[in-house]
């Protein structure tokens, strides 16, 4: 215990940031950490804080608190001022004053500025009102009397922006300032530019891009200019000198020091691709000494918009390359007499990534064309049809100089690329592929003896990563890439198991709550933009709108953060209260015909025609009523945790009323449910909706019967699939759940793996058994919704279920056998890491190895053994 090289206190963090963070919002961030060892009674923690205000002196403060609290503890010091830097560390002290272990690793945070004093500036000339406009550059020169001891750039934009100072790119983030509902708010990012600036003349340059703000967005071609048609940057540079003085530089259109010109990006669209002409580069444009030719460089204009969004410090770190991957294969497809070839590159993994190419050996004016796709057609060509308008096509025209090039304001979902017009050989050394996703801490791992299942799990993980780039999207490739609420609604329990995405998802929920108020209900996708020019007539849609319940609830269960729950309770209430008057008297959600028509139901039910995925077998009002009952119950639980018992009872009664309506309206006396579809039985069982025991038994039999007679293939879409395996658990038939899970036929989870999928697909048969691409015009190979089975895999096969907000208590009860010989899960929780590892022994019994972290209790339920509770420790149990 007294080993001084030991860190007993680990993972110190502020609020839900993943670690050190420049530019936080909070003046009093709550602190959390974890213990790696048992903490003796009456120990304390000593929190040491070194803080320094802008242009001020360093001060040290100390606070001592009881050690038992280590999660989201109140900030024990006076508030952090704007621009103030703090460095914290925490050390454990026994009651007799002896230090236990070393201080934790330090945590650095710095508070952002409140609201920038700088203006939004952009080009003064008129631009076409369509898309495909040439991307502008903005630059300014400024003088510093000395080399600053600290310099910061605070930056946001209408559109996208990348900054360079004295010729060097600022930070590694891409697609700054990210995607929010720009009518509501914009993120302000803080960059450390101390090493970029110098005494004397300096230059700040900004490249602007269309992005979500004014680029083309939406399905089947979509529209441009969804939030505005004029790009702008807002930049505030603050430099602090050793003598305590400072210089600030603010973007503006009146001091005549900010100029703009057209840049080398001819056009750039997030989905369609980027066209870059290196001949148009202005060498050294962001460095001192560059002469701004008055013909090319004009004074900027101030850009205003209505409504004016709030500008808020970003709640998480930016999107950066998370890994650099090398191709799995590079093949020359064809070579012309001029020596220029077409090459096929297989990256081996479908995901959100960008190729960075070493452009060399090209003559001035020669163009390399790069096209990206998720899969190949049977003839070996790229399958670009499913991309619809987002053709993911980049073009680079050379200036004759060697350089590395990656697009800036475009991003691609792909595994394969063709590179056309390449001189000579294309080799691995010419390609780095950067994989992009949000900054989140991985918290969940699964592995087993079943190789295909492991690949399925990896596919789930990759689809999550690919679609967690600023906003949780349906897919990362075709002309859609939108924050569809229903997809996250069903995937959230799996997502929050795999990653701590709290900050990322809260950011999205903030827009969801805003839009719910603005448009009168939860939109189908968020950020919302109108696809037909009107924002009227939005109707509540089950499963999709239930994201307003399930996502905050999941985050609360993961973190135990009551403040977070209170923050989203009004949105949760509004969703449920808004639907209550739309129920018929018996509790079924079908009082208004138009409500029923608006429902999406069990979207992509495999029995629906491939060109009409909404024409599923299960009545839409049945799906809507079932999900509504479940959401009412969750809301009731949420109110119990928030200590509002009256509200809890109200929503419990409402849930009961709805369940009764469900039973009497949809279930016949013999247990047959209207439509007799798999989804209907799954929801009835999984959500406990059958009110009398005779009918319940009949419903359960019918569910099993349907599953067995389908040969263990799947008959559900978006609404039924996440509940399918849970329903079989409820009726004690996990043997059948395993047959479904491990089935390699289509529709089935492993079919996608057998067919070579490296991500989870939108349709069960995005690739048909003969290897051809599904002809439907909605065919993606990277949707996470059907990967929602991950939740069951973690909880039942891995055997680990969270029972209490923040993981203070959890259930360990793996389903062992039935085609899998061993499995293990690890889960990083707010108390530390839980591990469950089981294997089947030669004699048919099972060995379970369990690690319970400090502060948590495991409820152990294993075959053949009495249930027992285990506190922190390492356990090996043989059972079965
Ligand atoms: C999206 C889905 C979405 C659905 C709803 C599709 O085009 O890709 O994932 O939830 O539309 O209608």
């Amino acid at each position: 215990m007294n080993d001084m090289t030991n860190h007993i206190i680990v993972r110190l963090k502020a609020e839900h940031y993943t670690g050190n963070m420049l530019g936080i919002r909070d003046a009093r961030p709550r602190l959390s950490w974890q213990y790696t060892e048992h903490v003796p009674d009456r120990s304390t923690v000593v929190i040491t804080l070194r803080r320094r205000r802008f242009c001020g002196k360093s001060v040290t403060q100390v606070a001592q608190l009881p050690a038992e609290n280590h999660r989201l503890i109140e900030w024990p010091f006076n508030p952090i001022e704007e621009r103030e830097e703090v460095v914290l560390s925490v050390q454990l002290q026994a009651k007799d004053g002896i230090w236990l272990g070393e201080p934790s690793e330090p945590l650095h945070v710095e508070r952002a500025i409140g609201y920038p004093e700088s203006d939004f500036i952009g080009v003064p000339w008129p631009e076409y009102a369509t898309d495909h406009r040439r991307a502008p550059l903005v630059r300014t020169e400024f003088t510093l009397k000395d080399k600053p001891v600290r310099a910061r750039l605070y930056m946001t934009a209408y559109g996208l922006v990348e900054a360079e100072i004295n010729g060097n790119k600022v930070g590694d983030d891409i697609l700054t300032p990210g995607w929010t509902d720009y009518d509501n708010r914009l993120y302000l990012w803080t960059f450390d530019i101390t090493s970029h600036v110098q005494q004397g003349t300096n230059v700040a340059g900004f490249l602007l891009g269309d992005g979500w703000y004014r680029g083309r967005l939406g399905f089947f071609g979509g529209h441009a200019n969804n939030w505005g048609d004029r790009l702008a940057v807002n930049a505030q540079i603050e430099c602090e000198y050793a003598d305590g003085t400072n210089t600030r530089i603010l973007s503006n259109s009146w001091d005549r020091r900010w100029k703009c010109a057209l840049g080398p990006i001819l056009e750039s669209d997030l989905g369609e691709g980027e066209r870059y002409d290196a001949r148009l580069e202005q060498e050294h444009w962001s460095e001192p000494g560059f002469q701004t030719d008055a013909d090319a460089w004009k004074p900027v204009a101030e850009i205003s918009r209505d409504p004016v969004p709030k500008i808020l410090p970003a709640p998480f770190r930016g999107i950066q390359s998370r890994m650099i991957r090398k191709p799995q294969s590079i093949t020359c497809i064809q070579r012309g007499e001029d020596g220029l070839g077409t090459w096929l590159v297989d990256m081996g993994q479908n995901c959100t990534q960008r190729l960075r190419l070493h452009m060399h050996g090209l003559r001035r004016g020669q163009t390399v064309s790069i096209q990206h796709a998720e899969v190949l057609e049977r003839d070996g060509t790229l399958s670009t049809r499913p991309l619809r308008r987002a053709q993911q096509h980049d073009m680079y025209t050379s200036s004759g100089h060697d350089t590395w090039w990656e697009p800036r304001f475009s991003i691609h979902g792909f595994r394969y690329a063709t590179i056309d017009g390449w001189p000579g050989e294309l080799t691995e050394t010419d390609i780095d592929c950067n994989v992009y996703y949000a900054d989140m801490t991985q918290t969940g791992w699964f592995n087993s003896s079943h190789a295909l299942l492991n690949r399925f799990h990896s596919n789930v993980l990759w689809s999550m990563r690919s679609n967690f780039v600023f906003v949780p999207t349906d897919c990362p490739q075709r002309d859609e890439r939108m924050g569809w609420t229903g997809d996250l609604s069903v995937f959230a329990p799996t997502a929050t198991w795999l990653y701590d995405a709290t900050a990322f998802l809260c950011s999205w929920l903030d827009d969801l709550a805003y839009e719910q108020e603005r448009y009168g209900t939860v939109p189908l996708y968020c950020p919302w933009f109108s696809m037909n020019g009107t924002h009227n007539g939005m109707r509540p849609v089950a499963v999709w709108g239930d994201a307003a319940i399930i996502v905050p609830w999941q985050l609360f269960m993961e973190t135990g953060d009551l403040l977070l729950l209170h923050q989203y309770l009004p949105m949760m209430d509004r969703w449920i209260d808004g639907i209550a008057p739309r129920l018929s008297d018996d509790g079924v959600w079908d009082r208004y015909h138009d409500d029923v028509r608006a429902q999406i139901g069990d979207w992509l039910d495999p029995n629906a025609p491939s060109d009409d995925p909404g024409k599923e077998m299960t009545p839409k009002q049945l799906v809507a009523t079932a999900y509504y009952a479940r959401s009412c119950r969750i809301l009731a639980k949420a109110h119990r945790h928030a200590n509002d018992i009256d509200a809890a009872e109200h929503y419990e009664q409402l849930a009961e009323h709805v369940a009764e309506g469900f039973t009497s309206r949809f279930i016949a006396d013999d247990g047959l449910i209207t439509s007799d579809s798999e989804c209907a039985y799954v929801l009835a069982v999984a959500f406990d909706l059958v009110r009398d025991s005779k009918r319940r038994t009949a419903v359960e039999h019918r569910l099993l019967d349907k599953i067995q007679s389908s040969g263990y293939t799947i008959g559900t879409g978006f609404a039924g699939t996440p509940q399918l395996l849970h329903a079989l658990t409820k009726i004690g038939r996990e043997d059948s759940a395993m047959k479904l899970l491990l089935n390699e036929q289509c529709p089935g989870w492993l079919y996608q793996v057998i067919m070579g999928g490296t991500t989870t697909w939108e349709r069960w048969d995005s690739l048909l058994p003969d290897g051809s691409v599904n002809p439907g015009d909605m065919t993606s190979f990277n949707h996470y919704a059907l990967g929602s089975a991950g939740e069951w895999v973690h909880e039942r096969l891995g055997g680990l279920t969270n029972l209490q907000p923040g993981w203070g208590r959890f259930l360990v009860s793996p389903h062992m056998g039935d085609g899998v010989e061993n499995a293990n899960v690890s889960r990083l929780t707010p108390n530390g890491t839980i591990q469950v590892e089981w294997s089947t022994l030669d004699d048919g019994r099972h060995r379970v190895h369990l690690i319970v972290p400090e502060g948590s209790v495991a409820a152990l339920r294993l075959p053949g053994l009495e249930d027992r509770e285990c506190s922190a420790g390492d356990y090996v149990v043989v059972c079965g």
Side-chain angles (χ1 to χ4, degrees), residues 469-491:
V469 181
F470 282 120
V471 159
T473 50
D474 57 337
C475 56
Q477 74 302 84
R478 67 171 179 232
D479 65 356
E480 192 140 355
R481 309 180 177 196
M482 286 148 54
W484 283 98
T485 45
D487 302 47
L488 185 64
S489 185
V490 298
F491 187 64

Side-chain angles (χ1 to χ4, degrees), residues 12-258:
L12 172 61
K13 67 175 191 174
E15 287 296 329
H16 296 291
Y17 298 108
T18 47
N20 297 338
M21 172 93 185
L22 269 189
I24 66 166
R25 235 179 248 189
D26 326 73
R28 306 175 61 88
R30 295 166 301 166
L31 299 173
S32 306
W33 58 85
Q34 294 171 9
Y35 297 111
T36 57
E37 286 180 24
H38 175 68
V39 175
D41 281 351
R42 294 173 47 214
S43 307
T44 53
V45 282
V46 176
I47 308 180
T48 308
L49 172 74
R50 220 178 56 241
R51 59 194 305 167
R52 197 175 74 85
R53 288 185 189 150
F54 185 58
C55 296
K57 294 225 167 2
S58 218
V59 180
T60 301
Q61 293 175 335
V62 174
Q64 190 156 14
L65 303 170
E68 60 257 31
N69 303 331
H70 65 102
R71 291 153 51 151
L72 297 164
I73 63 158
E74 292 295 321
W75 180 250
F77 305 100
N78 46 325
I80 309 175
E81 288 183 9
E82 285 176 13
R83 304 175 175 81
E84 186 174 1
E85 296 174 56
V86 308
V87 183
L88 289 145
S89 71
V90 185
Q91 193 172 11
L92 192 62
Q93 199 174 53
K95 63 174 190 282
D96 52 9
I98 295 193
W99 293 113
L100 303 172
E102 293 195 336
S104 68
E105 293 286 343
L107 175 72
H108 297 245
V109 293
E110 179 177 310
R111 194 157 161 224
I113 53 172
Y115 203 88
E117 290 155 64
S118 37
D119 298 329
F120 283 89
I121 53 170
V123 303
W125 53 80
E127 292 175 289
Y128 293 116
T130 62
D131 41 3
H132 302 161
R133 287 150 284 198
R134 194 164 150 194
L137 307 173
V138 172
R139 88 189 278 286
T140 191
E141 279 191 19
F142 55 96
T143 310
L144 300 178
K145 67 170 187 182
D146 215 339
K147 164 87 184 157
V149 288
R150 191 185 90 150
R152 297 287 181 262
L153 165 66
Y154 301 100
M155 179 170 74
T156 189
Y158 298 147
L160 300 177
V161 63
E162 266 189 28
E164 290 181 9
I165 291 189
N166 298 332
N168 298 309
K169 179 172 170 358
V170 173
D172 295 320
D173 296 2
I174 65 160
L175 309 181
T176 308
W179 191 12
T180 44
D181 184 322
Y182 302 121
D183 286 346
N184 179 23
R185 67 218 172 98
L186 261 183
Y187 284 146
L188 181 74
W189 295 84
T190 306
F191 296 94
D192 181 359
I193 53 165
T194 313
S195 63
H196 292 63
V197 288
Q198 60 195 19
Q199 182 183 25
T201 310
N202 292 267
V203 173
F206 304 89
L207 295 101
L208 300 186
D210 293 351
W212 300 276
Y213 186 79
R214 79 164 193 187
R216 194 162 273 276
L217 207 58
F219 44 85
F220 298 127
H223 300 275
N225 306 323
N226 285 293
W227 279 275
D229 58 4
R230 299 190 75 188
L231 301 180
V233 57
N234 184 315
Q236 181 157 329
I237 294 171
E238 300 196 350
C239 300
E240 191 186 332
Y241 304 108
D243 64 4
T245 57
N246 68 79
T247 300
R248 299 194 314 146
I249 298 103
L250 311 181
S251 56
N252 70 84
S253 60
W254 46 263
D255 71 3
R256 310 216 129 243
R257 302 182 66 88
W258 294 74

Side-chain angles (χ1 to χ4, degrees), residues 734-754:
E734 296 196 314
D735 55 334
S736 296
M738 288 301 292
K739 286 190 181 139
L740 262 175
L741 181 65
L742 301 184
N743 182 19
E744 296 169 19
Q745 305 300 308
C746 186
W749 286 286
L750 297 192
Y751 167 76
Q752 306 189 347
V753 177
I754 298 273

